[in-house]
């Protein structure tokens, strides 16, 4: 299992950052490849994803843990686990911490792409890009 941790600082109060991140329906606006997203009963989320020219549906269980920590776990392939934590820096600035745990082989089999170190770099670039898109999105709204 590989683990990736990245963060981005945004210029909005912690409550606004949390509310925006917590609304799964917003994900197509800042997560690359997500074409549709919705919450479902029982703390589940459904994502329509397109990667490598292929459409996929991903289901995940989403739970809130502690003070502004959202954890998620896919319920099928690919097996991914992650979390977002939202931490106040000051009254108008917030840090978004993303953590992703994944099996590189499973990700490659599911989505395609490079192997080994190149895959790790590709995933890191994708998550960093998504965080930057979140920053742009939340600061505009």
């Amino acid at each position: 299992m590989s683990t990736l941790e990245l963060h981005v600082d945004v210029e909005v109060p912690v409550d606004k950052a949390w509310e925006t991140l917590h609304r799964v329906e917003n994900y197509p606006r800042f997560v690359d490849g997500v074409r549709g997203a919705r919450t479902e009963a029982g703390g589940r989320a459904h994502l329509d994803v397109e990667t490598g020219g292929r459409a996929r549906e991903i289901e995940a269980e989403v739970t809130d843990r502690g003070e502004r920590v959202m954890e998620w776990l896919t319920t099928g392939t690919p097996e991914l686990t992650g979390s977002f934590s939202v931490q106040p820096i000051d009254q108008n600035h917030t840090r978004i911490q993303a953590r992703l745990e994944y099996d590189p082989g499973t990700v490659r089999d599911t989505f395609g792409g490079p192997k080994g170190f190149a895959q790790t770099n590709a995933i890191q670039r994708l998550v960093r890009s998504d965080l930057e898109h979140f920053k742009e999105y939340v600061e505009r709204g």
Side-chain angles (χ1 to χ4, degrees):
M1 206 51 101
S2 293
T3 301
L4 173 65
E5 290 187 27
L6 294 170
H7 74 270
V8 66
D9 295 340
V10 297
E11 294 182 30
V12 298
V14 68
D15 289 336
K16 181 175 182 179
W18 174 250
E19 181 181 316
T20 304
L21 185 64
H22 206 259
R23 288 190 180 172
V24 173
E25 293 80 7
N26 290 332
Y27 287 22
R29 295 183 171 120
F30 58 84
V31 179
D32 189 42
V34 174
R35 301 296 177 238
R38 67 182 180 275
T39 55
E40 297 180 341
R44 291 188 174 274
H46 176 91
L47 304 174
D48 295 314
V49 179
E50 185 178 321
T51 59
R54 295 187 302 188
R56 296 207 172 277
E57 292 184 11
I58 297 176
E59 300 284 336
E61 294 178 1
V62 180
T63 55
D64 290 343
R65 299 273 186 229
E67 184 71 15
R68 295 186 185 96
V69 176
M70 181 172 67
E71 294 180 342
W72 53 271
L73 167 68
T74 56
T75 58
T77 303
E79 186 176 317
L80 303 168
T81 303
S83 65
F84 294 107
S85 66
V86 180
Q87 307 154 354
I89 296 171
D90 62 30
Q91 186 174 356
N92 293 308
H93 296 86
T94 304
R95 175 161 291 163
I96 309 299
Q97 178 78 33
R99 179 182 172 91
L100 173 65
E101 294 180 23
Y102 64 97
D103 174 58
T106 300
V107 170
R108 176 158 170 47
D109 292 346
T110 304
F111 298 115
K115 292 182 179 178
F117 187 69
Q119 180 187 41
T120 301
N121 284 340
I123 291 171
Q124 183 172 355
R125 279 192 311 274
L126 180 64
V127 173
R128 186 176 312 282
S129 174
D130 291 344
L131 287 171
E132 288 299 323
H133 288 135
F134 176 79
K135 176 181 175 65
E136 292 169 12
Y137 176 71
V138 73
E139 289 178 355
R140 273 195 322 253

